[in-house]
Amino acid sequence: VLENEVRLSEIWVHPKYRGKNLGKKLVQAVQTVSRAVRKDVTLTTHYGVLKFWIKCGFKIVDKNPSYINMMWKPKSLLNRKP
């Protein structure tokens, strides 16, 4: 948890355990912390896992050919003005 955001730097599930919603549960745990501290979750990812992050509710903030910056906002902060 940083001053202005919750930064998710890496998440990885061993191939043997994929398809069991473990990644989703880990992300949901981070989102629970985000709600509690009232901060957005940010991350940088690549195109190969973009669908996963979108399913988890993340939105694209910025992208280039190599990576994508994404953000998830707790519902309580959606109408917040910067």
Coordinates of all heavy atoms in Angstrom, one line a residue:
V1 N 0.9 -1.2 0.0 CA 0.0 0.0 0.0 C 0.9 1.2 0.0 O 1.7 1.4 0.9 CB -0.9 0.0 1.2 CG1 -1.8 1.3 1.2 CG2 -1.8 -1.2 1.2
L2 N 0.8 2.0 -1.0 CA 1.5 3.3 -1.2 C 0.7 4.4 -0.7 O -0.5 4.3 -0.3 CB 2.0 3.5 -2.6 CG 2.8 2.3 -3.2 CD1 3.0 2.6 -4.7 CD2 4.1 2.2 -2.5
E3 N 1.3 5.6 -0.7 CA 0.6 6.8 -0.2 C -0.7 7.1 -0.9 O -1.8 7.4 -0.3 CB 1.5 8.0 -0.3 CG 0.8 9.3 0.3 CD 1.8 10.4 0.3 OE1 3.0 10.2 0.2 OE2 1.3 11.6 0.2
N4 N -0.7 6.9 -2.3 CA -1.9 7.3 -3.1 C -2.6 6.1 -3.7 O -3.6 6.3 -4.4 CB -1.5 8.3 -4.1 CG -1.0 9.6 -3.6 OD1 -1.6 10.0 -2.6 ND2 0.0 10.1 -4.1
E5 N -2.1 4.9 -3.6 CA -2.6 3.7 -4.3 C -2.2 2.4 -3.7 O -1.2 2.4 -2.9 CB -2.2 3.8 -5.8 CG -0.7 3.6 -5.9 CD -0.2 3.9 -7.3 OE1 -0.2 5.0 -7.7 OE2 0.3 2.9 -8.0
V6 N -2.8 1.4 -4.0 CA -2.4 0.0 -3.7 C -1.8 -0.5 -5.1 O -2.4 -0.5 -6.1 CB -3.6 -0.9 -3.3 CG1 -3.1 -2.3 -3.1 CG2 -4.2 -0.4 -2.0
R7 N -0.5 -0.8 -5.0 CA 0.2 -1.2 -6.3 C 0.4 -2.7 -6.3 O 1.0 -3.3 -5.4 CB 1.6 -0.5 -6.3 CG 2.4 -0.8 -7.5 CD 1.8 -0.1 -8.7 NE 2.6 -0.5 -9.9 CZ 2.2 -0.3 -11.1 NH1 1.1 0.2 -11.4 NH2 3.0 -0.6 -12.2
L8 N -0.2 -3.4 -7.3 CA 0.0 -4.8 -7.4 C 1.1 -5.0 -8.4 O 1.0 -4.7 -9.6 CB -1.3 -5.4 -8.0 CG -1.4 -6.9 -8.1 CD1 -1.1 -7.6 -6.8 CD2 -2.8 -7.3 -8.6
S9 N 2.2 -5.5 -7.9 CA 3.4 -5.6 -8.7 C 3.5 -6.9 -9.5 O 4.1 -7.0 -10.6 CB 4.7 -5.3 -7.9 OG 4.8 -6.2 -6.9
E10 N 3.0 -8.0 -8.9 CA 3.1 -9.3 -9.6 C 2.2 -10.3 -8.9 O 2.0 -10.3 -7.7 CB 4.6 -9.8 -9.5 CG 4.9 -11.0 -10.3 CD 6.3 -11.3 -10.4 OE1 7.2 -10.4 -10.1 OE2 6.6 -12.4 -10.8
I11 N 1.6 -11.1 -9.8 CA 0.8 -12.2 -9.3 C 1.0 -13.3 -10.3 O 1.1 -13.1 -11.5 CB -0.7 -11.8 -9.2 CG1 -1.5 -13.0 -8.6 CG2 -1.3 -11.4 -10.6 CD1 -2.9 -12.6 -8.3
W12 N 1.2 -14.5 -9.8 CA 1.5 -15.6 -10.7 C 1.0 -16.9 -10.0 O 1.2 -17.1 -8.8 CB 3.0 -15.7 -10.9 CG 3.4 -16.8 -11.9 CD1 3.4 -16.7 -13.2 CD2 3.9 -18.1 -11.6 NE1 3.8 -17.9 -13.8 CE2 4.2 -18.7 -12.8 CE3 4.2 -18.8 -10.4 CZ2 4.7 -20.0 -12.9 CZ3 4.7 -20.1 -10.5 CH2 4.9 -20.7 -11.7
V13 N 0.3 -17.7 -10.7 CA -0.2 -19.0 -10.2 C 0.5 -20.1 -11.0 O 0.5 -20.1 -12.2 CB -1.7 -19.1 -10.3 CG1 -2.2 -20.5 -9.9 CG2 -2.4 -18.0 -9.5
H14 N 1.1 -21.1 -10.3 CA 1.7 -22.2 -10.9 C 0.8 -22.9 -11.9 O -0.4 -23.1 -11.6 CB 2.2 -23.2 -9.8 CG 3.1 -24.3 -10.3 ND1 2.6 -25.4 -11.0 CD2 4.4 -24.4 -10.3 CE1 3.6 -26.1 -11.3 NE2 4.8 -25.6 -10.9
P15 N 1.3 -23.3 -13.1 CA 0.4 -23.9 -14.1 C -0.4 -25.1 -13.5 O -1.6 -25.3 -13.9 CB 1.4 -24.4 -15.2 CG 2.5 -23.4 -15.1 CD 2.6 -23.1 -13.6
K16 N 0.2 -25.8 -12.6 CA -0.5 -27.0 -12.0 C -1.8 -26.6 -11.3 O -2.8 -27.3 -11.2 CB 0.4 -27.7 -11.0 CG -0.1 -28.9 -10.3 CD 0.9 -29.5 -9.4 CE 0.4 -30.6 -8.5 NZ 1.4 -31.2 -7.6
Y17 N -1.9 -25.3 -10.8 CA -3.0 -24.8 -10.0 C -3.9 -23.8 -10.8 O -4.9 -23.3 -10.2 CB -2.5 -24.2 -8.7 CG -1.8 -25.2 -7.9 CD1 -0.4 -25.2 -7.8 CD2 -2.5 -26.3 -7.2 CE1 0.3 -26.1 -7.1 CE2 -1.8 -27.2 -6.5 CZ -0.4 -27.1 -6.4 OH 0.3 -28.1 -5.7
R18 N -3.6 -23.6 -12.0 CA -4.4 -22.7 -12.8 C -5.8 -23.3 -13.1 O -6.0 -24.5 -13.1 CB -3.7 -22.3 -14.1 CG -2.5 -21.4 -13.8 CD -1.8 -21.0 -15.0 NE -0.5 -20.3 -14.6 CZ 0.5 -20.1 -15.4 NH1 0.4 -20.4 -16.6 NH2 1.5 -19.5 -14.9
G19 N -6.8 -22.4 -13.3 CA -8.1 -22.8 -13.6 C -8.9 -23.2 -12.4 O -10.0 -23.7 -12.5
K20 N -8.4 -22.8 -11.3 CA -9.1 -23.1 -10.0 C -9.5 -21.8 -9.3 O -9.8 -21.8 -8.1 CB -8.3 -23.9 -9.1 CG -7.9 -25.3 -9.7 CD -6.9 -26.0 -8.8 CE -6.3 -27.2 -9.5 NZ -7.0 -28.4 -9.4
N21 N -9.5 -20.7 -10.0 CA -9.9 -19.4 -9.5 C -8.9 -18.8 -8.4 O -9.3 -17.9 -7.7 CB -11.3 -19.3 -9.0 CG -12.3 -19.4 -10.1 OD1 -12.1 -18.7 -11.2 ND2 -13.4 -20.1 -10.0
L22 N -7.7 -19.4 -8.3 CA -6.8 -18.9 -7.3 C -6.3 -17.5 -7.6 O -6.2 -16.7 -6.7 CB -5.6 -19.9 -7.2 CG -5.9 -21.3 -6.6 CD1 -4.7 -22.2 -6.7 CD2 -6.5 -21.2 -5.3
G23 N -6.0 -17.2 -8.8 CA -5.6 -15.9 -9.2 C -6.7 -14.9 -8.9 O -6.4 -13.8 -8.4
K24 N -7.9 -15.2 -9.3 CA -9.0 -14.3 -9.0 C -9.2 -14.1 -7.5 O -9.4 -12.9 -7.1 CB -10.3 -14.9 -9.6 CG -11.5 -14.0 -9.4 CD -12.7 -14.7 -10.1 CE -13.9 -13.9 -9.8 NZ -15.1 -14.5 -10.5
K25 N -9.0 -15.1 -6.7 CA -9.1 -15.0 -5.3 C -8.0 -14.1 -4.7 O -8.3 -13.3 -3.8 CB -9.1 -16.3 -4.6 CG -10.4 -17.1 -4.8 CD -10.4 -18.5 -4.2 CE -11.7 -19.2 -4.6 NZ -11.7 -20.6 -4.1
L26 N -6.8 -14.2 -5.2 CA -5.7 -13.3 -4.8 C -6.0 -11.9 -5.1 O -5.8 -11.0 -4.3 CB -4.4 -13.8 -5.4 CG -3.8 -15.1 -4.9 CD1 -2.7 -15.6 -5.8 CD2 -3.4 -15.0 -3.5
V27 N -6.5 -11.6 -6.3 CA -6.8 -10.3 -6.7 C -8.0 -9.7 -5.8 O -7.9 -8.6 -5.4 CB -7.2 -10.2 -8.2 CG1 -7.8 -8.9 -8.6 CG2 -6.0 -10.6 -9.1
Q28 N -9.0 -10.6 -5.6 CA -10.1 -10.1 -4.7 C -9.6 -9.8 -3.3 O -10.1 -8.8 -2.7 CB -11.2 -11.2 -4.6 CG -11.9 -11.3 -5.9 CD -12.9 -12.5 -5.9 OE1 -12.7 -13.5 -5.2 NE2 -13.9 -12.5 -6.8
A29 N -8.6 -10.5 -2.8 CA -8.0 -10.1 -1.5 C -7.3 -8.7 -1.6 O -7.5 -7.9 -0.6 CB -7.0 -11.2 -1.1
V30 N -6.6 -8.4 -2.6 CA -6.0 -7.1 -2.8 C -7.1 -6.1 -2.9 O -7.0 -5.0 -2.3 CB -5.1 -7.1 -4.0 CG1 -4.6 -5.7 -4.4 CG2 -3.9 -8.0 -3.8
Q31 N -8.2 -6.4 -3.6 CA -9.3 -5.4 -3.8 C -10.0 -5.2 -2.4 O -10.4 -4.0 -2.1 CB -10.3 -5.9 -4.8 CG -9.8 -5.9 -6.2 CD -10.6 -6.6 -7.2 OE1 -11.2 -7.6 -6.9 NE2 -10.6 -6.1 -8.4
T32 N -10.0 -6.2 -1.6 CA -10.6 -6.0 -0.2 C -9.7 -5.0 0.6 O -10.3 -4.1 1.3 CB -10.7 -7.3 0.5 OG1 -11.6 -8.2 -0.2 CG2 -11.2 -7.2 1.9
V33 N -8.4 -5.2 0.5 CA -7.5 -4.2 1.2 C -7.7 -2.8 0.6 O -7.8 -1.8 1.4 CB -6.0 -4.7 1.0 CG1 -5.1 -3.6 1.5 CG2 -5.8 -6.0 1.8
S34 N -7.8 -2.7 -0.7 CA -8.0 -1.4 -1.4 C -9.3 -0.7 -0.8 O -9.2 0.5 -0.6 CB -8.1 -1.7 -2.9 OG -8.5 -0.5 -3.5
R35 N -10.3 -1.5 -0.7 CA -11.6 -0.9 -0.2 C -11.4 -0.4 1.3 O -11.8 0.7 1.6 CB -12.7 -1.9 -0.2 CG -13.4 -2.1 -1.5 CD -14.6 -3.0 -1.3 NE -14.8 -3.7 -2.6 CZ -14.4 -4.9 -2.9 NH1 -13.7 -5.6 -2.1 NH2 -14.7 -5.4 -4.1
A36 N -10.7 -1.2 2.1 CA -10.5 -0.8 3.5 C -9.6 0.4 3.6 O -9.9 1.2 4.5 CB -9.8 -2.0 4.2
V37 N -8.6 0.6 2.8 CA -7.8 1.8 2.9 C -8.2 2.9 1.9 O -7.6 4.0 1.9 CB -6.3 1.5 2.6 CG1 -5.8 0.5 3.7 CG2 -6.1 0.9 1.2
R38 N -9.3 2.7 1.2 CA -9.9 3.7 0.3 C -8.9 4.2 -0.8 O -8.7 5.4 -0.9 CB -10.6 4.8 1.1 CG -11.7 4.3 2.0 CD -12.4 5.4 2.8 NE -12.7 6.6 1.9 CZ -13.8 6.7 1.2 NH1 -14.6 5.6 1.1 NH2 -14.1 7.8 0.5
K39 N -8.3 3.3 -1.4 CA -7.3 3.6 -2.5 C -7.5 2.7 -3.7 O -8.0 1.6 -3.6 CB -5.9 3.4 -2.0 CG -5.5 4.4 -0.8 CD -4.1 4.1 -0.3 CE -4.0 5.0 0.9 NZ -2.8 5.8 0.9
D40 N -7.2 3.3 -4.9 CA -7.2 2.5 -6.1 C -6.1 1.5 -6.2 O -5.1 1.6 -5.5 CB -7.0 3.5 -7.3 CG -8.0 4.6 -7.4 OD1 -9.1 4.5 -6.9 OD2 -7.7 5.7 -7.9
V41 N -6.4 0.4 -7.0 CA -5.3 -0.6 -7.2 C -4.8 -0.3 -8.6 O -5.6 -0.1 -9.6 CB -5.9 -2.0 -7.2 CG1 -4.8 -3.0 -7.5 CG2 -6.6 -2.3 -5.8
T42 N -3.5 -0.2 -8.7 CA -2.8 0.0 -10.1 C -1.9 -1.2 -10.3 O -1.4 -1.8 -9.4 CB -2.1 1.3 -10.1 OG1 -1.0 1.3 -9.1 CG2 -3.0 2.5 -9.9
L43 N -1.7 -1.4 -11.6 CA -0.7 -2.5 -12.1 C -0.3 -2.2 -13.5 O -0.9 -1.5 -14.2 CB -1.4 -3.8 -11.9 CG -2.6 -4.1 -12.8 CD1 -2.2 -4.7 -14.1 CD2 -3.5 -5.2 -12.0
T44 N 0.8 -2.8 -13.8 CA 1.3 -2.8 -15.2 C 1.4 -4.3 -15.7 O 1.9 -5.2 -14.9 CB 2.7 -2.2 -15.3 OG1 2.6 -0.9 -14.8 CG2 3.2 -2.2 -16.7
T45 N 0.8 -4.6 -16.8 CA 0.7 -5.9 -17.3 C 1.1 -6.0 -18.8 O 1.4 -5.0 -19.4 CB -0.7 -6.5 -17.0 OG1 -0.6 -7.9 -17.2 CG2 -1.8 -5.9 -17.8
H46 N 0.9 -7.2 -19.4 CA 1.1 -7.4 -20.8 C -0.1 -7.9 -21.4 O -1.1 -8.3 -20.8 CB 2.3 -8.3 -21.1 CG 2.2 -9.6 -20.4 ND1 1.6 -10.7 -21.0 CD2 2.6 -10.1 -19.2 CE1 1.6 -11.7 -20.2 NE2 2.2 -11.4 -19.1
Y47 N -0.2 -7.9 -22.8 CA -1.4 -8.2 -23.5 C -1.8 -9.7 -23.3 O -3.0 -10.0 -23.4 CB -1.2 -7.9 -25.0 CG -1.2 -6.4 -25.3 CD1 0.0 -5.7 -25.2 CD2 -2.3 -5.8 -25.5 CE1 0.0 -4.3 -25.4 CE2 -2.3 -4.4 -25.8 CZ -1.2 -3.7 -25.7 OH -1.2 -2.3 -25.9
G48 N -0.9 -10.6 -23.0 CA -1.3 -12.0 -22.8 C -2.3 -12.3 -21.7 O -2.9 -13.3 -21.8
V49 N -2.3 -11.4 -20.7 CA -3.2 -11.6 -19.6 C -4.3 -10.5 -19.5 O -4.9 -10.4 -18.4 CB -2.5 -11.8 -18.3 CG1 -1.7 -13.1 -18.3 CG2 -1.5 -10.6 -18.0
L50 N -4.4 -9.7 -20.5 CA -5.4 -8.6 -20.4 C -6.8 -9.0 -20.1 O -7.4 -8.4 -19.3 CB -5.3 -7.8 -21.8 CG -6.2 -6.6 -21.9 CD1 -5.9 -5.6 -20.8 CD2 -6.1 -6.0 -23.3
K51 N -7.2 -10.1 -20.7 CA -8.6 -10.5 -20.4 C -8.8 -10.9 -18.9 O -9.9 -10.6 -18.4 CB -8.9 -11.8 -21.3 CG -9.2 -11.5 -22.7 CD -9.7 -12.8 -23.4 CE -10.0 -12.5 -24.8 NZ -10.4 -13.8 -25.5
F52 N -7.8 -11.4 -18.3 CA -7.9 -11.8 -16.9 C -8.2 -10.5 -16.1 O -9.1 -10.5 -15.2 CB -6.7 -12.5 -16.4 CG -6.6 -12.6 -14.9 CD1 -7.3 -13.6 -14.3 CD2 -5.8 -11.8 -14.1 CE1 -7.3 -13.7 -12.9 CE2 -5.8 -11.9 -12.7 CZ -6.5 -12.9 -12.1
W53 N -7.4 -9.5 -16.3 CA -7.5 -8.2 -15.5 C -8.8 -7.5 -15.8 O -9.5 -7.0 -14.9 CB -6.3 -7.3 -15.8 CG -5.1 -7.9 -15.3 CD1 -4.0 -8.4 -16.0 CD2 -4.8 -8.2 -13.9 NE1 -3.1 -8.9 -15.2 CE2 -3.5 -8.8 -13.9 CE3 -5.4 -8.0 -12.7 CZ2 -2.9 -9.2 -12.7 CZ3 -4.8 -8.4 -11.5 CH2 -3.6 -8.9 -11.5
I54 N -9.3 -7.6 -17.0 CA -10.6 -7.0 -17.4 C -11.7 -7.7 -16.6 O -12.6 -7.1 -16.1 CB -10.8 -6.9 -18.9 CG1 -9.9 -5.9 -19.5 CG2 -12.3 -6.6 -19.2 CD1 -9.8 -5.9 -21.0
K55 N -11.6 -9.1 -16.6 CA -12.6 -9.9 -15.8 C -12.6 -9.5 -14.4 O -13.6 -9.6 -13.7 CB -12.3 -11.4 -16.0 CG -12.8 -12.0 -17.2 CD -12.5 -13.5 -17.1 CE -12.7 -14.2 -18.3 NZ -12.4 -15.7 -18.2
C56 N -11.5 -9.1 -13.9 CA -11.4 -8.7 -12.4 C -11.8 -7.2 -12.2 O -11.7 -6.7 -11.1 CB -9.9 -8.9 -12.0 SG -9.4 -10.6 -11.8
G57 N -12.2 -6.6 -13.3 CA -12.8 -5.2 -13.1 C -11.8 -4.1 -13.4 O -12.1 -2.9 -13.2
F58 N -10.6 -4.4 -13.8 CA -9.6 -3.4 -14.1 C -9.9 -2.7 -15.4 O -10.4 -3.3 -16.4 CB -8.2 -4.0 -14.1 CG -7.7 -4.3 -12.7 CD1 -8.1 -5.4 -12.0 CD2 -6.7 -3.4 -12.1 CE1 -7.6 -5.7 -10.8 CE2 -6.3 -3.7 -10.8 CZ -6.7 -4.8 -10.2
K59 N -9.5 -1.4 -15.5 CA -9.7 -0.6 -16.7 C -8.3 -0.2 -17.2 O -7.4 0.1 -16.4 CB -10.5 0.6 -16.4 CG -11.9 0.4 -15.8 CD -12.8 -0.2 -16.7 CE -14.2 -0.4 -16.1 NZ -15.0 -1.3 -16.7
I60 N -8.2 -0.1 -18.5 CA -6.9 0.4 -19.1 C -6.8 1.9 -18.9 O -7.7 2.7 -19.1 CB -6.9 0.1 -20.6 CG1 -6.9 -1.4 -20.8 CG2 -5.7 0.7 -21.3 CD1 -7.1 -1.9 -22.3
V61 N -5.6 2.3 -18.4 CA -5.3 3.7 -18.2 C -4.4 4.2 -19.3 O -4.6 5.3 -19.7 CB -4.6 3.9 -16.8 CG1 -4.2 5.3 -16.6 CG2 -5.6 3.4 -15.7
D62 N -3.5 3.4 -19.7 CA -2.5 3.8 -20.7 C -1.9 2.5 -21.3 O -1.9 1.5 -20.6 CB -1.4 4.6 -20.0 CG -0.3 5.1 -21.0 OD1 -0.7 5.5 -22.1 OD2 0.9 5.0 -20.6
K63 N -1.5 2.5 -22.5 CA -0.9 1.3 -23.1 C 0.1 1.7 -24.2 O 0.0 2.8 -24.8 CB -2.0 0.4 -23.7 CG -2.8 0.9 -24.8 CD -3.9 -0.1 -25.2 CE -4.8 0.5 -26.2 NZ -5.8 -0.4 -26.7
N64 N 1.0 0.8 -24.5 CA 1.9 0.9 -25.6 C 2.1 -0.5 -26.2 O 1.5 -1.4 -25.7 CB 3.2 1.6 -25.2 CG 4.1 0.8 -24.3 OD1 4.1 -0.4 -24.5 ND2 4.8 1.4 -23.4
P65 N 2.9 -0.7 -27.2 CA 3.0 -2.0 -27.8 C 3.6 -3.1 -26.8 O 3.3 -4.3 -27.0 CB 4.0 -1.8 -28.9 CG 3.8 -0.4 -29.3 CD 3.6 0.3 -28.0
S66 N 4.2 -2.7 -25.7 CA 4.8 -3.6 -24.8 C 4.1 -3.9 -23.5 O 4.1 -5.0 -23.0 CB 6.2 -3.2 -24.4 OG 7.0 -3.0 -25.6
Y67 N 3.4 -2.9 -23.0 CA 2.7 -3.1 -21.7 C 1.5 -2.3 -21.6 O 1.2 -1.4 -22.4 CB 3.7 -2.8 -20.6 CG 4.1 -1.3 -20.5 CD1 3.3 -0.4 -19.9 CD2 5.2 -0.9 -21.1 CE1 3.6 1.0 -19.9 CE2 5.6 0.5 -21.1 CZ 4.8 1.4 -20.5 OH 5.1 2.7 -20.5
I68 N 0.7 -2.5 -20.6 CA -0.6 -1.8 -20.3 C -0.6 -1.4 -18.8 O -0.4 -2.3 -18.0 CB -1.8 -2.8 -20.6 CG1 -1.7 -3.4 -22.0 CG2 -3.1 -2.0 -20.4 CD1 -2.5 -4.6 -22.2
N69 N -0.9 -0.2 -18.6 CA -1.2 0.3 -17.2 C -2.7 0.2 -16.9 O -3.5 0.6 -17.8 CB -0.7 1.7 -17.0 CG 0.8 1.8 -17.0 OD1 1.5 1.0 -16.4 ND2 1.3 2.8 -17.7
M70 N -3.0 -0.4 -15.8 CA -4.5 -0.6 -15.5 C -4.8 -0.1 -14.1 O -3.9 0.0 -13.3 CB -4.8 -2.1 -15.6 CG -4.6 -2.6 -17.0 SD -5.2 -4.3 -17.3 CE -6.9 -3.9 -17.7
M71 N -6.1 0.1 -13.9 CA -6.5 0.6 -12.5 C -7.9 0.0 -12.2 O -8.7 -0.2 -13.1 CB -6.6 2.1 -12.5 CG -7.1 2.7 -11.2 SD -7.3 4.5 -11.2 CE -5.7 5.0 -11.5
W72 N -8.0 -0.3 -10.9 CA -9.3 -0.7 -10.4 C -9.7 0.2 -9.2 O -8.8 0.5 -8.4 CB -9.2 -2.2 -9.8 CG -10.5 -2.6 -9.2 CD1 -11.5 -3.2 -9.9 CD2 -10.9 -2.6 -7.9 NE1 -12.5 -3.5 -9.0 CE2 -12.1 -3.2 -7.7 CE3 -10.2 -2.2 -6.7 CZ2 -12.8 -3.3 -6.5 CZ3 -10.9 -2.3 -5.5 CH2 -12.1 -2.8 -5.4
K73 N -10.9 0.7 -9.3 CA -11.3 1.7 -8.2 C -12.4 1.0 -7.4 O -13.4 0.4 -7.9 CB -12.0 2.9 -8.9 CG -11.0 3.9 -9.5 CD -11.7 5.1 -10.0 CE -10.8 6.2 -10.4 NZ -10.0 6.8 -9.4
P74 N -12.3 1.1 -6.1 CA -13.4 0.6 -5.2 C -14.7 1.4 -5.5 O -14.6 2.6 -5.9 CB -12.9 0.9 -3.8 CG -11.4 1.1 -3.9 CD -11.2 1.6 -5.3
K75 N -15.8 0.8 -5.5 CA -17.1 1.5 -5.8 C -17.2 2.8 -5.0 O -17.8 3.8 -5.5 CB -18.3 0.6 -5.6 CG -18.4 -0.5 -6.7 CD -19.6 -1.3 -6.5 CE -19.6 -2.4 -7.6 NZ -20.7 -3.3 -7.5
S76 N -16.8 2.8 -3.8 CA -16.9 3.9 -2.9 C -16.1 5.1 -3.5 O -16.4 6.3 -3.1 CB -16.5 3.6 -1.5 OG -15.1 3.2 -1.5
L77 N -15.2 4.9 -4.4 CA -14.3 6.0 -4.9 C -14.7 6.3 -6.3 O -14.0 7.2 -6.9 CB -12.8 5.6 -4.8 CG -12.3 5.3 -3.4 CD1 -10.8 4.9 -3.5 CD2 -12.5 6.4 -2.5
L78 N -15.6 5.6 -6.9 CA -15.9 5.8 -8.4 C -16.3 7.3 -8.7 O -16.0 7.8 -9.8 CB -17.0 4.9 -8.9 CG -16.5 3.4 -9.1 CD1 -17.6 2.5 -9.5 CD2 -15.4 3.4 -10.1
N79 N -17.0 7.9 -7.8 CA -17.5 9.3 -8.1 C -16.6 10.3 -7.5 O -16.9 11.5 -7.5 CB -18.9 9.4 -7.6 CG -19.9 8.5 -8.4 OD1 -19.7 8.4 -9.6 ND2 -20.8 8.0 -7.7
R80 N -15.5 9.9 -7.0 CA -14.5 10.8 -6.4 C -13.9 11.7 -7.4 O -13.5 11.3 -8.5 CB -13.4 10.0 -5.7 CG -12.3 10.8 -5.1 CD -11.3 9.9 -4.5 NE -10.5 9.3 -5.6 CZ -9.5 8.5 -5.5 NH1 -9.1 8.2 -4.3 NH2 -8.9 7.9 -6.5
K81 N -13.8 13.0 -7.0 CA -13.1 14.0 -7.9 C -11.6 14.0 -7.6 O -11.3 14.0 -6.4 CB -13.8 15.3 -7.8 CG -15.2 15.4 -8.3 CD -15.8 16.7 -8.2 CE -17.2 16.7 -8.7 NZ -17.8 18.0 -8.7
P82 N -10.8 14.1 -8.6 CA -9.3 14.2 -8.3 C -8.9 15.4 -7.5 O -9.5 16.4 -7.4 CB -8.7 14.2 -9.7 CG -9.8 14.2 -10.7 CD -11.1 14.2 -10.0

